[in-house]
């Protein structure tokens, strides 16, 4: 006979083990800790009830188990032990197995608490001393400094040319006399009057030191090339490893290692990080005050991963940042004055905005509170969007993701002719432009399709008229997806807009996480010919893109089957998973003087100037069985969501009918 406590033991043990596995290795969702704790309480109390009830009926028990205690030659039945280890049920023949299976459940719950709490409790990071370089122009570098120890003041800042060996040749940039709680002991120093395209070393009187390289002088040979990194989303020590430092970010270490292997010419000039830097609400939000938000930034910057590499530490790479929801609260769309936005904005401004690039020349808003940015670096001009602070409720006909000031500023930027050496406009958004992600679509540009349409129309026009190519970069989805949005005036055929094809159109590359979970189900799928899937690579806890722009001779195939050589600016996107390139794609813009060749090479119905993209390398295996299974699961999800939506619709209609009555 199966008793109620037996059922409770088996069920709670199974739930606890499965939940702990998912929480520690797959997705650190906030539901899991309460679930694991409850399962443990139910498990231990049912176990206790079970031992009491068997204790009440010793005679019956002994009859069943043939007096095990009185028979020294008897060994525990193997089947019984395995059953105990698997189900969590007590074993009649082996008290050791019972103890072990109980211990496994207790340890799993403790590991979950360790993941949740160790970093938080042991590392308030109040004494963090930090220095990092943010935005670098041809002649300036922005340095963020945090120093809470008053004994280190005044803090003097020096710099010198990196090749300079003579220590007496340090240039003194200035001194910081006061730092206080108002800015969480941070301040910004702009090092000025630097030479373009040069390597420098800086040093502070608290012994912090680092290296940086200034941007190239516009119009020079070196301004034709640029390489930079992009990614998003990180949370320390995930997937959880009990032996690891609780603040370790393995993704940063893998990326640094991979970049340090590149020849110095190809090393990235900066990291364009597209949000979800602190992940305040995963696995658990501990508070919503300014001090909570500040402590999360300090903890991330206290990670040993920033300095793990001896010769070229990660902290030397300049990072520039956009805002996303996990810097505030999940799927944030409540504006820039509702709580907790003001508390969340405080450290975002002190730690990130303060050393970010400048705001656009035409911000259409008060400069002091503008959180979108724009700059030119070599062959590319950038616009970094804030898709969180100014957005309205999604999925309404008049929903705005940018707010009117930012939208005007972006449209002015898109329509602006660029200096001759700039051939790329790169628009960075925390959330993807494509609606091909079928989970949480309305939190992306998929919830703001009317605004997306106006932005795309401006971009297609700019590509036709300005001789530049526009690239969209985004993050947020914990997956890699590249999508193209063909200009409808090109009239591409159904054949040319098939899923998983390289080709023409405005291209988006969305990548993440740098160090975080990825979904075990497939959530990206092409559904029409507006958003054409180029490539989808969901797996990997560490994914980032390296973008490299340089001048090169490109072969363009003419309709007659011949190929011509067109001198071009070529952008190569390399997707890294961990420390390997798994996919590489290139796009090009013909240089002035070669447009005629390019036009002759392309059939008249095509874009006169911008040749289709090309896959250069693909190490993924689309036919592996696990990908097919996960795709099927993803589609089941889609169907279930569709049914739920229908049910909500029906419910809403009934409620509306009732109200009308
Ligand atoms: C900086 O380093 C020097 C030489 O190693 C040492 O004498 C000095 O005490 C250090 N200063 C601080 C603030 O750590
Ligand atoms: C909020 O955004 C608006 C523009 O949409 C801006 O005018 C205002 O200054 C911002 N407020 C804060 C507190 O940042
Ligand atoms: C900018 O934001 C601060 C609060 O963060 C607010 O007090 C101030 O009024 C804002 N300025 C403008 C011009 O909106
Ligand atoms: C959209 O329209 C509704 C109803 O007319 C209005 O209440 C809302 O404020 C509008 N939203 C925006 C972002 O303009």
């Amino acid at each position: 006979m199966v008793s109620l406590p037996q059922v409770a033991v088996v069920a709670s043990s199974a739930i606890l083990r499965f939940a702990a596995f998912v929480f520690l290795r797959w997705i650190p969702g906030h539901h899991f800790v309460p679930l694991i704790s409850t399962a443990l309480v139910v498990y231990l109390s049912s176990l206790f009830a079970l031992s009491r009830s068997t204790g009440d009926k010793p005679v019956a028990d002994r009859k069943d188990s043939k007096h095990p205690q009185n028979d020294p030659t008897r060994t525990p039945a193997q089947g019984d032990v395995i059953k105990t280890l698997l189900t969590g049920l007590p074993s009649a023949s082996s008290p050791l197995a019972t103890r072990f299976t109980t211990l496994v459940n207790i340890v799993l719950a403790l590991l979950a608490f360790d993941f949740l709490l160790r970093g938080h409790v042991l590392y308030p990071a109040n004494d963090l001393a930090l220095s990092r370089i943010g935005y670098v122009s041809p002649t300036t570098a922005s340095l963020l400094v945090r120093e809470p120890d008053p004994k280190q003041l005044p803090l003097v800042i020096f710099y010198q040319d990196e090749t300079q060996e003579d220590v007496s040749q340090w240039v003194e940039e200035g001194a910081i006399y006061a730092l206080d709680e108002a800015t969480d002991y941070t301040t910004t120093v702009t090092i000025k009057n630097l030479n373009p395209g040069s390597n420098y070393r800086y040093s502070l009187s608290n012994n912090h030191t680092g290296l940086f390289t200034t941007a190239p002088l516009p119009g020079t040979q070196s301004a034709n090339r640029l390489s930079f990194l992009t990614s998003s989303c990180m949370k320390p020590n995930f997937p959880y490893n009990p032996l690891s430092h609780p603040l370790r970010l393995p993704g940063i270490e893998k990326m640094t290692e991979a970049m340090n292997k590149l020849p110095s010419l190809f090393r990235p000039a900066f990291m364009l990080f597209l949000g979800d830097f602190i992940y305040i609400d995963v696995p658990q939000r501990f508070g919503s005050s300014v001090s909570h938000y500040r402590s999360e930034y300090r903890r991330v910057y206290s990670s040993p991963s920033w300095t793990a590499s001896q010769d070229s530490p990660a902290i030397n790479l300049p990072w520039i940042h956009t805002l996303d929801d996990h810097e505030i609260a999940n799927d944030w769309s409540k504006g820039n004055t509702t709580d907790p936005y003001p508390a969340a904005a405080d450290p975002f401004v002190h730690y990130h905005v303060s050393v970010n690039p400048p705001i656009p020349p035409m911000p259409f808003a008060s400069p002091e509170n503008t959180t979108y940015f724009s700059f030119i670096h070599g062959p590319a001009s950038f616009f970094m969007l804030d898709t969180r602070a100014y957005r309205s409720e999604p999925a309404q006909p008049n929903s705005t993701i940018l707010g009117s000031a930012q939208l005007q500023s972006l449209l002015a930027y898109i329509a602006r002719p660029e200096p001759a050496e700039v051939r790329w406009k790169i628009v960075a958004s925390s959330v993807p432009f494509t609606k091909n992600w079928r989970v949480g679509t309305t939190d992306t540009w998929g919830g703001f399709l009317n605004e997306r349409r106006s932005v795309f129309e401006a971009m297609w026009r700019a590509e036709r008229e300005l001789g530049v190519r526009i690239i969209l970069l985004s993050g947020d989805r914990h997956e890699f997806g590249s999508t193209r949005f063909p200009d409808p005036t090109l009239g591409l055929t159904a054949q040319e807009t098939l899923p998983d094809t390289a080709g023409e159109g405005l291209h988006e590359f969305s990548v993440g996480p740098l160090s975080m979970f990825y979904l075990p189900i497939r959530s990206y799928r092409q559904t029409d010919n507006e958003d054409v899937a180029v490539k989808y690579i969901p797996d990997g806890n560490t994914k980032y893109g390296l973008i490299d722009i340089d001048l090169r001779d490109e072969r363009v195939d003419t309709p007659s089957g011949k190929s011509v050589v067109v001198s071009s600016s070529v952008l190569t996107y390399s997707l890294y998973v961990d420390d390997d390139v798994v996919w590489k794609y290139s796009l090009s813009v013909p240089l002035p003087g070669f447009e005629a060749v390019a036009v002759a090479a392309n059939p008249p119905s095509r874009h006169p100037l911008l040749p289709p993209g090309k896959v250069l390398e693909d190490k993924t295996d689309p036919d592996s069985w696990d990908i097919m299974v996960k795709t099927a699961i993803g589609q089941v999800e889609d169907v279930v969501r569709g049914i739920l939506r229908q049910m909500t619709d029906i419910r809403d209609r009934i409620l509306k009918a009732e109200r009308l009555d």
Side-chain angles (χ1 to χ4, degrees):
M1 260 289 285
V2 178
S3 69
L4 187 63
Q6 271 174 326
V7 173
V9 162
V10 174
S12 57
S13 174
I15 289 173
L16 189 155
R17 289 174 186 191
F18 182 68
F21 174 76
V22 173
F23 179 66
L24 296 173
R25 305 297 304 181
W26 265 4
I27 301 179
H30 63 269
H31 305 295
F32 287 110
V33 172
L35 184 64
I36 292 167
S37 321
T38 313
L40 184 67
V41 170
V42 172
Y43 176 74
L44 292 178
S45 42
S46 322
L47 203 61
F48 183 67
L50 210 56
S51 74
R52 286 286 297 275
S53 65
T54 49
D56 286 347
K57 303 175 278 173
V59 182
D61 244 28
R62 292 223 181 99
K63 217 183 281 167
D64 286 347
S65 54
K66 295 183 189 130
H67 305 268
Q69 281 86 353
N70 301 341
D71 179 0
T73 60
R74 190 190 179 283
T75 53
Q78 229 176 11
D80 188 41
V81 169
I82 289 173
K83 190 175 122 200
T84 294
L85 295 183
L86 289 181
T87 60
L89 277 172
S91 160
S93 57
S94 165
L96 189 65
T98 308
R99 263 180 248 138
F100 185 77
T101 202
T102 313
L103 191 66
V104 165
N105 286 352
I106 294 173
V107 166
L108 283 176
L110 289 178
L111 292 180
F113 277 100
D114 177 60
F115 172 55
L116 182 70
L117 296 172
R118 183 154 40 116
H120 194 81
V121 172
L122 297 187
Y123 296 86
N126 288 318
D127 53 359
L128 166 74
L130 166 74
S131 71
R132 74 169 186 95
I133 295 281
Y135 172 64
V136 177
S137 80
T139 56
T140 65
S142 302
L143 177 69
L144 174 78
V145 177
R146 182 179 201 268
E147 180 49 90
D149 179 3
K151 290 199 290 293
Q152 302 291 345
L153 300 179
L155 196 58
V156 191
I157 294 110
F158 305 93
Y159 69 90
Q160 65 175 197
D161 200 303
E162 201 201 333
T163 51
Q164 181 66 254
E165 291 295 330
D166 186 350
V167 278
S168 66
Q169 294 298 306
W170 285 103
V171 182
E172 187 177 323
E173 178 60 45
I176 300 161
Y177 294 95
L179 283 172
D180 60 29
E181 211 271 331
T183 60
D184 202 21
Y185 304 94
T186 64
T187 192
T188 315
V189 178
T190 306
I191 305 175
K192 298 194 195 71
N193 301 320
L194 302 170
N195 294 320
S198 309
N199 299 326
Y200 288 93
R201 179 186 292 123
Y202 71 83
S203 177
L204 309 181
S205 53
N206 63 0
N207 284 355
H208 273 243
T209 166
L211 303 172
F212 64 92
T213 304
T214 46
L217 188 67
T220 58
Q221 192 61 31
S222 57
N224 286 322
R225 70 173 321 282
L226 166 66
S227 126
F228 67 97
L229 285 164
T230 180
S231 193
S232 61
C233 310
M234 53 191 201
K235 190 76 194 177
N237 200 15
F238 192 85
Y240 172 74
N241 173 352
L243 303 179
S244 163
H245 189 291
L247 299 182
R248 195 171 159 221
L249 288 156
I252 290 189
E253 294 178 24
K254 287 177 199 164
M255 179 179 80
T256 306
E257 215 171 279
M259 292 304 109
N260 289 350
K261 281 187 209 140
L262 293 178
S264 59
L265 184 66
F266 296 99
R267 302 242 176 113
F270 54 85
M271 158 61 92
L272 182 56
F273 196 77
L274 301 178
D276 296 347
F277 181 82
I278 57 167
Y279 251 108
I280 182 93
D281 45 3
V282 174
Q284 189 74 50
R285 175 190 286 279
F286 289 102
S288 301
S289 65
V290 171
S291 73
H292 281 107
Y293 279 97
R294 286 179 172 183
S295 72
E296 292 295 338
Y297 283 81
R298 291 198 303 269
R299 261 189 284 280
V300 176
Y301 281 119
S302 302
S303 171
S305 302
W306 295 107
T307 48
S309 162
Q310 291 291 312
D311 40 335
S312 189
I315 194 74
N316 271 348
L317 179 70
W319 282 41
I320 52 180
H321 294 266
T322 70
L323 183 67
D324 203 13
D325 56 340
H326 294 286
E327 264 85 54
I328 314 162
N330 191 30
D331 289 357
W332 183 254
S333 69
K334 297 201 174 73
N336 65 354
T337 49
T338 313
D339 284 329
Y341 182 87
D346 172 278
F348 178 67
V349 168
H350 295 316
Y351 285 88
H352 289 171
V353 173
S354 61
V355 289
N356 249 6
I359 64 170
M362 286 191 285
F364 295 97
S366 135
E368 59 171 318
N369 287 340
T370 297
T371 44
Y372 36 96
F373 312 94
S374 185
F375 65 102
I376 293 177
H377 190 125
S381 150
F382 290 79
F383 197 105
M384 297 162 62
L385 298 170
D386 180 337
T387 62
R388 286 293 165 190
Y390 313 107
R391 69 160 67 184
S392 65
E393 194 69 30
Q396 314 294 316
N398 61 351
S399 290
T400 173
I401 189 169
L402 300 178
S404 66
Q406 186 179 196
L407 177 61
Q408 282 184 71
S409 182
L410 176 66
L411 294 176
Y413 162 82
I414 294 169
R416 174 185 89 190
E418 297 289 346
E421 74 277 5
V422 173
R423 310 186 205 283
W424 303 88
K425 280 186 196 264
I426 296 181
V427 177
S429 162
S430 65
V431 291
F433 282 88
T434 181
K435 54 180 155 46
N436 284 353
W437 263 288
R438 315 303 305 160
V439 176
T441 318
T442 57
D443 186 54
T444 68
W445 282 81
F448 304 85
L449 288 171
N450 288 332
E451 191 157 293
R452 189 182 90 149
R453 185 78 194 178
S454 357
V455 170
F456 278 2
E457 274 164 7
M459 290 177 170
W460 290 320
R461 190 174 323 118
E463 285 198 336
R464 288 194 301 268
E465 294 171 2
L466 298 181
V468 295
R469 193 152 197 163
I470 299 180
I471 300 293
L472 310 173
L473 299 178
S474 58
D476 178 66
R477 303 316 307 205
H478 298 223
E479 300 190 327
F480 171 79
S482 172
T483 315
R484 55 194 173 95
F485 310 95
D487 182 346
T489 63
L490 297 180
L492 296 192
T493 63
Q495 193 65 29
E496 289 165 322
T497 55
L498 286 177
D500 307 314
T501 53
E504 289 178 87
L506 198 59
H507 276 69
E508 168 169 50
F509 301 93
S510 184
V511 70
L514 182 57
S515 207
M516 196 25 164
F517 71 85
Y518 67 92
L519 291 174
I521 57 156
R522 310 288 94 158
S523 63
Y524 173 102
R525 202 173 69 249
Q526 179 173 341
T527 54
D528 55 30
N529 61 1
E530 284 177 1
D531 295 34
V532 182
V534 176
K535 188 71 192 175
Y536 173 50
I537 302 176
D539 291 355
N541 292 105
T542 291
K543 300 200 268 312
Y544 48 94
L546 175 68
I547 291 161
D548 185 80
I549 302 177
D550 204 356
L551 296 186
R552 211 164 62 203
D553 284 343
E554 274 291 280
R555 293 212 156 267
V556 177
D557 295 327
T558 64
S560 63
K562 278 199 299 202
S563 71
V564 291
V565 172
V566 182
S567 225
S568 308
S569 176
V570 180
L571 178 148
T572 309
Y573 187 101
S574 305
L575 174 73
Y576 281 77
V577 176
D578 295 332
D579 39 19
D580 286 322
V581 178
V582 299
W583 185 78
K584 235 179 187 179
Y585 193 80
S586 79
L587 289 162
S588 66
V589 183
L591 293 188
F594 286 86
E595 287 108 332
V597 185
V599 172
N602 280 320
S605 70
R606 303 295 199 80
H607 197 288
L609 285 182
L610 305 179
K614 288 185 204 165
V615 178
L616 303 182
E617 199 172 315
D618 189 349
K619 290 192 196 153
T620 60
D621 176 10
D623 298 326
S624 81
W625 65 270
D626 72 309
I627 291 192
M628 289 195 251
V629 170
K630 287 171 180 171
T631 308
I633 297 175
Q635 287 175 1
V636 169
E637 280 260 320
D638 227 24
V639 171
V640 171
R641 225 187 341 275
I643 294 171
L644 288 179
R645 203 165 34 235
Q646 290 291 328
M647 283 164 58
T648 325
D649 274 3
I650 293 169
R651 187 203 59 193
D652 287 352
R653 251 178 267 152
I654 294 171
L655 287 179
K656 210 163 159 193
E658 277 173 356
R659 269 202 305 276
L660 288 178
D661 284 345

